[in-house]
Amino acid sequence: MIEACSIGESGRDASVPRPWGRKWVFRLIAISVSLIPLLLGELACRFRGYGGLSPVLRELGTIDDRTYIVTDPKGIKSFFLLDIGGRIEQQVFTMPKDPGTVRVFLLGGSAMQGYPQPRHLASSAFFQAMLSDLWPDRTVEVLNLGTTAVASFPVMCIADEALQYDADLLIVYTGNNEFYGAHGVASVHRFGRSTHAMQILRQFRRSALAQWMLEQMVRRKDGSKARLNLMESMSADAQIGPDDPRRSVAARNLENHLIHIIENCKQKGVPVIVCTLPGNERNLAPVGEELPPPLPDDQRARFDSLLAEGRRLMDGDPEPALHALSSASELCDHHATLYFLIGKCLTSLGRHAEASKAYVRAKDLDTMPWRAPSTSNDAVRRAAERGAVLCDLEQAFRGQSPDGAIGQELMDDHVHPTLQGQALIATSLLRSMSKLPLPLKVDPQRVSELPSWSAYGQRLGASMFDRYGAAYHCTVVFRVSFLRRSNPGALRHFQSICAVLEPRMSTLERRAVDRWQKGGIQFPITG
């Protein structure tokens, strides 16, 4: 009977699958079919040796119950999409560590690594020598894991590895590369806008298929990218205005990554010191190109005229130059070069406190923030409040600068310390250790009684060849297009240092230096 038929309220036979169910079945089948080539490709690439990520700290093997661990360049390269940057000094240590050994890991970028100074003259070498003098009854093991061209996300990942190897203290000095370094907010791969995006990229890099594809991309390039200087290669989006939201993102990322390190150290019971970031304030003009002031045409012409007048007068007559520049600042108060010139005039007039503020303002407005802006240092200070000891290197460097503004006495280029600056980092870290609990606590009075930085430099083997090598590396840095345009005097400064030292070399030494410059001898030059 018709009444006995199973008919739903809509009049459709209930035994027939609904259309939406069939659609989802077809969708799942289509997705599965499309994934099959990817899965086959992944398996094929894994068969050829791709896939996974090498750790930065790799275990070599065990001999007589001692496991040897070494830094692995492959682990560093995994943070870079292109084959640029990411150099780490080779470090070797063992597990378990010897009794009575204090193991300290230093983490950060190239400023932590010690560039442009050689390894035996980096802050880590000064730190180990000084700490050994303070603790003659202990073995001090300082392992410098500083890595070139990395932002704080890779540093955070390396810190996670270091905590697995019986660390007694972690020291973190990172933040100079939050814009243009690997996983920076303006770097080449654009995944530095959030920690979650960086973690997704990290997982993507584990895929064998992804690694093969990236290798093919690098091979197919005509080489022009590889020939660029590292700084140029990392700057995918050079200009970052004062109101660019990436500035706050960079500070947020830095703070979050430092907090992650601090929280992990607390869980492991390992003290941690975090450092603020000094930069060259007095002897480095803003690097980025200035954005046009948002002014009507007549006011912009007036601004340009006042700026040119101040630039023309500043060397011979700083008072009227300062008046012209101050008038220009009333028209536009976010022009980095303007504030740098104001700082120069104030320095000439002996008004050093005001000059220091002007230099900091210029640094913070620089549209290419290769130097950590104040927002980044504020982020470091906030993160330290979560359970770390703060080593305020920025204030320490200003305190040792002749007029309170950091310059070429302590900085070779934009953020890399001179030999004296390397020693200052070490003594500042020792003073910060006075806030640590025993047995790591250091008496600041004993630190003040240590020999001079130059005496330690001599003990560590500093020579004119090391000075030449650092100066030569700086000539390479200041040949980069945007640095050469903005700071032509810096290139001449380091060229003059090389020119003074070269005549003091013998013919044989000069020949060896020539080979070193061409890559025939590996860094350091004393090789």
Side-chain angles (χ1 to χ4, degrees), residues 216-459:
Q216 301 310 306
M217 289 171 58
V218 173
R219 285 181 177 178
R220 290 175 184 175
K221 287 184 177 292
D222 61 6
S224 59
K225 189 71 174 180
R227 287 195 297 268
L228 289 174
N229 183 280
L230 172 61
M231 296 177 73
E232 293 172 305
S233 300
M234 297 303 292
S235 301
D237 188 358
Q239 309 306 317
I240 300 178
D243 298 323
D244 193 307
R246 286 174 293 181
R247 290 181 177 269
S248 60
V249 172
R252 182 197 66 201
N253 286 347
L254 176 59
E255 183 176 356
N256 289 341
H257 298 153
L258 287 175
I259 289 174
H260 173 95
I261 295 172
I262 292 167
E263 293 297 330
N264 272 7
C265 285
K266 287 164 65 175
Q267 291 178 11
K268 297 281 187 178
V270 177
V272 56
I273 297 174
V274 296
C275 305
T276 55
L277 303 137
N280 193 335
E281 299 165 344
R282 175 168 33 85
N283 294 119
L284 191 87
V287 176
E289 295 184 8
E290 299 292 353
L291 301 174
L295 299 170
D297 291 343
D298 58 336
Q299 292 187 26
R300 184 181 299 179
R302 173 66 174 160
F303 176 86
D304 292 340
S305 175
L306 290 168
L307 183 64
E309 182 181 359
R311 194 191 298 270
R312 178 177 59 83
L313 294 173
M314 59 179 295
D315 290 333
D317 206 347
E319 190 72 54
L322 179 60
H323 177 75
L325 296 170
S326 299
S327 298
S329 69
E330 295 175 0
L331 296 172
C332 177
D333 67 347
H334 52 266
H335 192 279
T337 300
L338 170 65
Y339 278 94
F340 181 75
L341 297 178
I342 289 175
K344 285 293 187 183
C345 290
L346 290 168
T347 296
S348 298
L349 295 169
R351 296 160 61 178
H352 299 305
E354 296 172 81
S356 180
K357 293 180 181 179
Y359 290 133
V360 173
R361 176 75 171 152
K363 181 189 69 171
D364 289 345
L365 290 172
D366 194 344
T367 60
M368 288 189 72
W370 284 102
R371 298 168 291 177
S374 297
T375 50
S376 294
N377 277 318
D378 291 341
V380 174
R381 294 184 177 98
R382 288 194 300 270
E385 295 174 357
R386 300 292 289 268
V389 170
L390 177 68
C391 179
D392 201 337
L393 291 180
E394 184 182 48
Q395 290 304 318
F397 271 62
R398 286 175 181 162
Q400 292 297 312
S401 298
D403 54 13
I406 304 169
Q408 62 189 13
E409 300 86 4
L410 298 175
M411 284 290 168
D412 269 328
D413 54 19
H414 54 306
V415 295
H416 299 112
T418 62
L419 187 63
Q420 182 180 354
Q422 301 289 341
L424 179 56
I425 291 175
T427 55
S428 300
L429 290 173
L430 291 176
R431 294 184 189 282
S432 297
M433 291 178 69
S434 66
K435 302 173 185 176
L436 294 176
L438 293 172
L440 295 176
K441 186 181 180 67
V442 169
D443 183 355
Q445 178 60 36
R446 293 190 61 199
V447 175
S448 64
E449 295 170 356
L450 290 172
S452 66
W453 72 268
S454 57
Y456 275 105
Q458 290 180 350
R459 186 196 301 186

Side-chain angles (χ1 to χ4, degrees), residues 97 103-105 162-170 269-271:
K97 66 184 180 185
R103 177 170 289 169
V104 183
F105 286 102
L163 285 171
Q164 301 174 29
Y165 293 102
D166 206 4
D168 292 297
L169 175 65
L170 257 63
V270 177

Side-chain angles (χ1 to χ4, degrees), residues 81-107:
L81 289 185
L82 300 175
D83 190 21
I84 54 175
R87 186 176 67 85
I88 188 172
E89 295 281 1
Q90 187 178 68
Q91 304 282 335
V92 181
F93 59 96
T94 61
M95 286 289 290
K97 66 184 180 185
D98 293 330
T101 297
V102 178
R103 177 170 289 169
V104 183
F105 286 102
L106 308 185
L107 302 114

